[in-house]
Amino acid sequence: MPLTSPIKPYDPTWPQQYEAEEARLKPIFSSALIGIHHVGSTAVPGLAAKAEIDVLAVVRSDSGLEDWSRSLATLGYRRGADLSSSHHFFKRDVNGARTHKLHVCLDGHRQIARMLKFRDHLRQHTGDRSRYQDLKLRLKRENSSDIRQYLNAKDPFIQDILAKLD
């Protein structure tokens, strides 16, 4: 399958799905947790998305990573490749379909502000939200290899938006 999940119209239950997952995840990080956020396209009302709930956990220290990995495994998560130093990635599939992605970032990591700014911008700017949705749907149709091709093709749009916000 070229993408991990098909892109679907916005589902108004996505925020509740996030809230349920947040409640399951918070205890794992305990006092290391600074904040937890719904990010990604499912966090933007009205935006079509892969039905995969993106969660960002901001932590004071990632020294508990091995313990967290074991605890997350009991919730159905498996470790993915780190996306960068101090940006750890986990994914959860149910019945063979990706349902959740968890980004665990050390406080101060540049990806935290990037994810939150982009989400907030799309929530507030319908024109950019529509252009982003059109891009995602076009890339889905054109995608011939894998998720990496899709992500790389979206990146210039994201970078352009973030450059305007700095």
Side-chain angles (χ1 to χ4, degrees):
M1 177 189 323
L3 297 182
T4 51
S5 302
I7 296 175
K8 299 179 177 183
Y10 180 76
D11 182 338
T13 69
W14 286 338
Q16 290 79 26
Q17 291 176 42
Y18 163 77
E19 289 170 8
E21 199 63 14
E22 176 188 311
R24 288 173 13 113
L25 293 171
K26 272 184 170 180
I28 288 173
F29 300 103
S30 186
S31 63
L33 186 67
I34 293 172
I36 191 163
H37 309 273
H38 187 190
V39 294
S41 293
T42 62
V44 179
L47 181 61
K50 293 182 284 139
E52 301 172 3
I53 306 299
D54 282 280
V55 179
L56 168 63
V58 180
V59 294
R60 288 178 176 77
S61 164
D62 56 6
S63 62
L65 187 60
E66 286 185 34
D67 290 335
W68 300 338
S69 294
R70 283 190 291 277
S71 297
L72 288 166
T74 67
L75 298 181
Y77 283 88
R78 67 184 192 286
R79 186 83 192 269
D82 286 351
L83 300 178
S84 65
S85 176
S86 302
H87 181 175
H88 312 289
F89 183 69
F90 296 84
K91 49 198 168 187
R92 180 173 176 239
D93 297 350
V94 175
N95 298 322
R98 177 75 33 88
T99 60
H100 295 80
K101 295 177 290 194
L102 172 62
H103 301 263
V104 180
C105 291
L106 191 59
D107 187 32
H109 194 285
R110 73 179 223 39
Q111 199 60 7
I112 298 166
R114 184 178 187 264
M115 284 190 254
L116 295 174
K117 281 181 182 181
F118 188 67
R119 177 203 64 192
D120 293 347
H121 179 82
L122 292 181
R123 283 177 172 174
Q124 296 168 6
H125 295 87
T126 58
D128 285 339
R129 181 172 59 239
S130 294
R131 283 188 287 285
Y132 187 52
Q133 178 171 286
D134 293 345
L135 172 64
K136 289 170 39 153
L137 294 170
R138 180 177 58 79
L139 294 174
K140 179 187 106 173
R141 288 189 306 272
E142 296 172 357
N143 187 23
S144 60
S145 65
D146 61 18
I147 188 67
R148 182 64 39 206
Q149 175 189 10
Y150 171 80
L151 294 173
N152 289 340
K154 287 190 322 178
D155 198 53
F157 180 91
I158 296 168
Q159 293 304 327
D160 286 347
I161 294 293
L162 292 172
K164 291 180 203 175
L165 301 177
D166 287 337

